Amino acid sequence: MAGSGSSMLYSFLLFIATLSLQEVYRGKLASSELYTILGGFTSSLIFILLLTFIGNYQETSGVRTGWGAVILAEVVALIAASTVHRVSITTCFLFSAALLYEVNKLSGVMVSRSESRGKRH
């Protein structure tokens, strides 16, 4: 499993690459309805990558902000989506909410799995 430092670096690099590609192809992403939805999805990937970066940074520095990290990542993703199209803002928010739900569910599974391992030993 990747450590916090390497995961933080990889998520930051993917964040920069995704944001750059979205800005380069924003004209194409705004050209049709399907591409506009795709623009919202890529912005939600920006949300997940930035949330991963912030979470790993907080873990290495020992600081916790709770929902502050989620709100900051969502605001950045919505601003990125607004450069593509107005509809991309809405689809970004919906995709981000679904991805956040899945990440939270996955986190709960991993915590319960690690607690059950701790009880066995």
Side-chain angles (χ1 to χ4, degrees), residues 5 14 18 25 31 46 56 58-59 64 66 79 83 89 94 97 101 104 117-118 120-121:
L14 284 171
T18 307
Y25 292 109
S31 66
I46 289 172
N56 286 321
Q58 288 177 347
E59 188 174 324
R64 298 281 181 211
I79 290 171
T83 63
I89 300 170
L94 295 174
Y101 173 76
N104 187 32
R117 284 185 188 163
R120 279 191 248 159
H121 299 295

Side-chain angles (χ1 to χ4, degrees), residues 18-121:
T18 307
L19 182 63
S20 299
L21 287 171
Q22 180 175 333
E23 291 304 311
V24 166
Y25 292 109
R26 71 178 171 192
K28 178 70 172 171
L29 290 171
S31 66
S32 72
E33 292 177 6
L34 187 60
Y35 284 138
T36 302
I37 294 170
L38 182 65
F41 180 73
T42 57
S43 295
S44 68
L45 292 178
I46 289 172
F47 164 72
I48 287 295
L49 292 169
L50 188 58
L51 185 63
T52 304
F53 172 75
I54 293 170
N56 286 321
Y57 176 76
Q58 288 177 347
E59 188 174 324
T60 55
S61 66
V63 178
R64 298 281 181 211
T65 60
W67 283 99
V70 175
I71 292 170
L72 177 65
E74 185 66 27
V75 166
V76 170
L78 291 175
I79 290 171
S82 71
T83 63
V84 175
H85 195 274
R86 293 179 304 195
V87 175
S88 293
I89 300 170
T90 306
T91 57
C92 171
F93 183 77
L94 295 174
F95 282 128
S96 296
L99 287 173
L100 185 62
Y101 173 76
E102 291 299 322
V103 166
N104 187 32
K105 193 167 67 171
L106 179 65
S107 175
V109 168
M110 297 303 284
V111 167
S112 67
R113 186 177 295 169
S114 68
E115 287 176 355
S116 67
R117 284 185 188 163
K119 291 179 183 177
R120 279 191 248 159
H121 299 295

